[in-house]
Each structure stands twice: as structure tokens, then as C-alpha cells.
Amino acid sequence: MSFKVAVVTGANKGIGFAIVRGLCKRFDGTVYLTSRDEKRGKDAVAALENEGLHPKYHQLDITNPQSLKVFHDYIKEKYDHIDILVNNAAIAFKSKATEPVAVQAEETLRVNYFSVLSTCEILFPLLRNGARVVNVSSSAGHLSNIPSKQLRQKFQDPNLTIPELSELMHQYIAAAKQGTQSKEWGNSSYAVSKVGLTALTKIHQRMLNDRDIKVNAVHPGYVDTDMSSHMGPLSIDEGAQAPLFLALDAPDSVKGEYIWFDKRIVSWTEKNQ
């Protein structure tokens, strides 16, 4: 079957919702809007249908391996492949959050790093040769947000493996539990989670190079969403532009990169953005 299939995680609102909207308008294939909460997801699909667009819906909680397996089996049976995977689902604690740093560290990395990793492990076998993976990172995912030079060197090691990267993530959680994280890791669990995601992007690109699969990370800009407490100046459709560029328009030479909301490839390791 030659149907093309695109999947967007965490897509019932915000940037994910706008990415689905953009794909529905331009992608020559079936677009799946997925969300943890089924009612919110179906309401989002209904809203897009009111615009004359026709996404499909499937429940998907990236933090639940069983939910991922159910979705994998559904796509495998119905289409046998995925052409575009947008890893958008993520969380962020607000600046005024009262949860202890240790709790914020564990939960943020559980969702933004470890759950995205398991999403990739379960869904990557469905990627067709030539597929595109877009990881929605952040300006917080820039390596310069990690104060320790030694840690930065580990993250940018061209031979870094996934087990080694996951061990770094565990080390951060352990440091947060001991209250010793700020000197080496900084004070943002969100930043650490997105640095981890961007590093994962580069490892996955190395692993998938021989199948012409493009894996890129993107900072979508500071967008007016629940996650930004509606402080961002960009609309969700503006925030979707760079992810859509990577999903649909970027040259095949753009792979394993970290791109900015204005579609520029930026150095992940050098600070002068």
C-alpha cells in the first residue's frame, strides 16, 4: 500500500494542533492527530473538520508503553508504515510551580526524554525509507544551557550512544534529588530534557543514515500556548512553520540538525545564535 502517513503526538492543542492543521493542508496522505486525552483529541479533530480539513484520530499516551504498542499495531495493520513522525508531546512546569526540584526533574525527563525515546523505539520500525522525524525541541535545548564544560563535551561526543545519553539523564535526576544539580546542570529541568532530546536526535540520525531517514530537532519559537502561559508573541500557526518545513520542505541534506523557528540551521554547540 502506498498511502503516505503522518503522525503528530500531543496534538490536541498548541503547536501540535497547528502542525496537524498545516499537514492536512499540504501533505499528500493521511494525517493522525494523537493525544493522551481522547475527548480533547476528538474535539480537536472536530475543530479541524469545521475548517474543511480531515485528520484521523487515535489515542496515544507516549508515557504509556502499552498505548504506544496499541498504536504501533494499529498503524502496522492498516498502513504498514509511517512517512512523517512529529514528536511534539511534552510538559513544562511553570516558573511558579511548587513541586520540589527533584519531582520536577524526574517528571519532566520522564515525559520529554524517556517517553519520547520509547516512542521512537516502538514506532521507528514503522518508518519507511526516506521518512522524516521532527523532534520539537526548544531554545532551552541548546547545549549552551548546560553550565558544565565536561558535561557539554559528553553530550556532543560524536560516538555518544543512547544508553550513555540515558545514563546522563539519570545522573541529572540523581543530582536534582541531592540538590546538587545547579552548578553543573543549571536550574531548568526543561532545558536538560530538551538538551537530551536534541542529543537523541543526533544519535538517531547516525543510526538511520543508511535508510535515508531524516531526523531533525527544531526550536519552534516562543509561541502563545498553555505551555508558555500565553506569553509568547508567535501564534501557534507561526510556531508550526519550522516543524512543517522539516516535515515537508527541507532539502534531503538537512539531517541531524537543530533548526530555529526562522528555518535557519544553527550550531547546537556554539552560543552565537
Side-chain angles (χ1 to χ4, degrees), residues 34-152:
T34 72
S35 65
R36 183 175 52 179
D37 184 295
E38 192 163 342
K39 182 183 183 306
R40 289 179 183 171
K42 288 183 172 175
D43 287 349
V45 166
L48 290 170
E49 286 174 341
N50 285 339
E51 297 177 22
L53 303 173
H54 302 284
K56 303 275 191 192
Y57 178 73
H58 201 289
Q59 192 275 342
L60 179 61
D61 179 355
I62 69 163
T63 68
N64 181 339
Q66 182 57 32
S67 176
L68 283 161
K69 287 189 178 78
V70 167
F71 182 67
H72 166 279
D73 294 349
Y74 170 81
I75 295 290
K76 171 85 175 159
E77 186 177 342
K78 195 168 175 73
Y79 306 97
D80 198 44
H81 61 261
I82 293 172
D83 297 278
I84 294 173
L85 173 62
V86 181
N87 286 311
N88 170 73
I91 63 164
F93 284 87
K94 304 297 184 191
S95 54
K96 294 176 182 171
T98 55
E99 290 86 349
V101 170
V103 171
Q104 294 190 33
E106 194 151 39
E107 183 62 9
T108 304
L109 269 67
R110 181 179 80 88
V111 178
N112 295 2
Y113 173 77
F114 289 105
S115 294
V116 176
L117 174 58
S118 56
T119 300
C120 294
E121 287 173 342
I122 291 169
L123 297 184
F124 271 15
L126 295 172
L127 292 178
R128 219 173 0 186
N129 286 357
R132 293 183 171 209
V133 179
V134 181
N135 292 327
V136 180
S137 184
S138 165
S139 57
H142 194 275
L143 194 55
S144 62
N145 289 302
I146 303 294
S148 162
K149 183 180 179 184
Q150 187 180 14
L151 281 173
R152 291 198 305 273

Side-chain angles (χ1 to χ4, degrees), residues 140-173:
H142 194 275
L143 194 55
S144 62
N145 289 302
I146 303 294
S148 162
K149 183 180 179 184
Q150 187 180 14
L151 281 173
R152 291 198 305 273
Q153 286 173 336
K154 288 181 181 177
F155 275 111
Q156 62 186 300
D157 179 349
N159 299 309
L160 184 68
T161 64
I162 290 174
E164 288 166 349
L165 176 57
S166 294
E167 174 56 28
L168 284 171
M169 298 288 98
H170 284 302
Q171 285 173 20
Y172 167 70
I173 294 169

Side-chain angles (χ1 to χ4, degrees), residues 223-264:
V223 179
D224 177 3
T225 62
D226 289 348
M227 194 180 272
S228 71
S229 301
H230 300 281
M231 305 281 283
L234 299 180
S235 71
I236 58 171
D237 290 304
E238 288 171 323
Q241 288 308 302
L244 286 166
F245 168 73
L246 287 175
L248 298 171
D249 302 317
D252 286 348
S253 57
V254 178
K255 48 173 76 174
E257 299 289 2
Y258 176 60
I259 81 156
W260 230 233
F261 62 92
D262 57 5
K263 306 173 188 172
R264 277 183 307 134

Side-chain angles (χ1 to χ4, degrees), residues 19-28 31 51 53 237:
I19 293 170
V20 171
R21 178 192 274 142
L23 286 170
C24 284
K25 288 178 177 176
R26 294 192 46 220
F27 178 62
D28 179 24
V31 182
E51 297 177 22
L53 303 173
D237 290 304

